[in-house]
Amino acid sequence: MSNKKNKDIKIDDSESENENESGSDRDSDLDSDGNYIGDKELQADFEGRNPEDCDFHGIKQLLRQLFLKSNVDLGELAQIIISQNYVGSVVKQCLDDGQDDDDEDDDGSDGVFGVTTVINITKRKDESCVQQIRTLLMTLAEENANDKTKALVNKILSDDDRHVGLVINERILNIPAAISVPLFASLQSELEKAVNRDMPYTFQYLIWICKTYNTGEDSSEVLFANQEEKPLLEEALASFEVDVTEQADLSQWDYEGGALTPCRKVLIFDGSKFNNLVRLLKEEVENV
């Protein structure tokens, strides 16, 4: 495909010695949605590409992981991501050696493993799904944030002169954090090019919704579903947490004898700090 971007990353194979395991054992490594949840590493090469129409359903499914049952039109949001495909990437599996990129029988629709992008929710405030996201953020802040954070959320979503970017960084379980490094490096470059062309991608604020899990009754430890996002918390102007137990299909997961409670942590950043955030997530990946 002519719009493919070279951001390849390889996952080392550690399963070759177990190729003869029974079908029932393999089935036990899948959850109710067919996602792989086993502890073996799978061999695969992935790359970042510009979002295309054929990625619609895959992107929508990834967005559902983030927004769960919130009142957001995920189909329309997926279309926005595709429509601004000059900014952001989807993660697809690389084609096998010898397979023609232009194979007419392959529309590329199988397997969107991740999506990384940013959406201007100020410029697009009149689009219905963005309206829903803005309302959701204000409602969640009202119900979960302290007074200072509530005021900040209301301020940045009420001032049309100061643009707010919503960062989306989603991928399926077991895709390693390392893939985020080239994806965000590409996003940096794409945003710079867009700004140089006077496109509306200069952000005064960024909002980043992270999937997290609390452990123990006192929620003393917070686990980030995307490990690279962990160091970003300290850089936030403000943040608040939302318990999404009632929306999640599985309210708790076992964790070293305890349980994980699914949450969303909403982080608000100074928009000028984006490059620093990318540096921090890269350092986190390198130190894992």
Side-chain angles (χ1 to χ4, degrees):
M1 295 180 183
S2 59
N3 64 345
K4 191 186 301 182
K5 288 184 273 183
N6 295 323
K7 293 174 286 188
D8 295 1
I9 184 168
K10 183 174 291 185
I11 304 175
D12 292 333
D13 178 22
S14 64
E15 194 182 23
S16 57
E17 296 180 0
N18 298 300
E19 290 179 351
N20 295 325
E21 65 181 343
S22 69
S24 60
D25 289 339
R26 289 193 297 270
D27 290 344
S28 67
D29 288 336
L30 302 177
D31 66 12
S32 59
D33 294 324
N35 296 317
Y36 179 76
I37 57 174
D39 58 3
K40 308 180 189 70
E41 292 184 351
L42 302 179
Q43 182 180 15
D45 293 332
F46 297 98
E47 63 186 357
R49 301 185 189 179
N50 300 93
E52 300 179 281
D53 289 338
C54 63
D55 299 322
F56 171 81
H57 293 291
I59 294 172
K60 183 178 177 182
Q61 186 64 34
L62 288 167
L63 293 173
R64 186 172 291 114
Q65 290 183 176
L66 181 64
F67 290 100
L68 297 174
K69 299 176 183 178
S70 298
N71 181 32
V72 176
D73 187 337
L74 302 181
E76 184 181 10
L77 187 57
Q79 290 287 14
I80 288 176
I81 291 172
I82 293 168
S83 72
Q84 58 164 47
N85 66 358
Y86 44 84
V87 169
S89 306
V90 292
V91 177
K92 305 290 288 283
Q93 190 166 358
C94 295
L95 299 174
D96 293 334
D97 291 341
Q99 184 173 350
D100 189 349
D101 283 2
D102 297 323
D103 189 342
E104 294 181 357
D105 295 329
D106 179 16
D107 65 359
S109 62
D110 290 336
V112 177
F113 293 88
V115 57
T116 299
T117 191
V118 60
I119 296 172
N120 189 329
I121 62 172
T122 304
K123 182 70 173 179
R124 293 181 176 270
K125 66 183 180 66
D126 293 329
E127 299 185 46
S128 61
C129 69
V130 175
Q131 291 177 0
Q132 291 168 335
I133 291 171
R134 291 165 63 92
T135 298
L136 176 66
L137 289 169
M138 287 189 287
T139 300
L140 293 178
E142 182 64 31
E143 296 174 349
N144 299 278
N146 59 34
D147 289 342
K148 183 178 179 180
T149 302
K150 289 178 190 177
L152 178 61
V153 171
N154 287 328
K155 172 187 173 183
I156 67 177
L157 294 179
S158 300
D159 186 354
D160 292 346
D161 293 328
R162 302 175 69 81
H163 287 202
V164 179
L166 175 67
V167 179
I168 295 176
N169 180 38
E170 276 299 305
R171 60 179 179 269
I172 67 168
L173 192 67
N174 288 352
I175 299 294
I179 202 168
S180 65
V181 175
L183 292 178
F184 274 99
S186 177
L187 183 59
Q188 274 183 298
S189 175
E190 290 162 344
L191 288 174
E192 290 174 2
K193 291 177 181 178
V195 170
N196 289 337
R197 295 170 183 166
D198 294 325
M199 302 177 79
Y201 288 95
T202 299
F203 299 112
Q204 280 68 48
Y205 296 97
L206 293 169
I207 294 178
W208 197 316
I209 305 174
C210 304
K211 299 199 305 293
T212 60
Y213 303 95
N214 286 341
T215 66
E217 294 181 358
D218 60 354
S219 300
S220 58
E221 183 178 2
V222 177
L223 302 179
F224 281 75
N226 293 338
Q227 177 66 25
E228 72 275 10
E229 296 173 346
K230 182 178 179 180
L232 306 186
L233 179 58
E234 294 183 359
E235 299 298 313
L237 294 173
S239 66
F240 62 92
E241 186 175 79
V242 181
D243 187 327
V244 295
T245 301
E246 294 182 358
Q247 294 190 47
D249 292 332
L250 296 175
S251 60
Q252 291 183 327
W253 289 261
D254 290 336
Y255 171 71
E256 296 181 354
L260 295 176
T261 301
C263 298
R264 297 292 180 269
K265 192 171 286 291
V266 181
L267 310 180
I268 303 170
F269 301 100
D270 182 327
S272 66
K273 303 296 185 182
F274 180 70
N275 289 345
N276 186 51
L277 299 179
V278 174
R279 178 184 62 80
L280 289 173
L281 70 82
K282 179 181 179 182
E283 291 176 353
E284 176 68 17
V285 169
E286 292 174 344
N287 292 331
V288 171

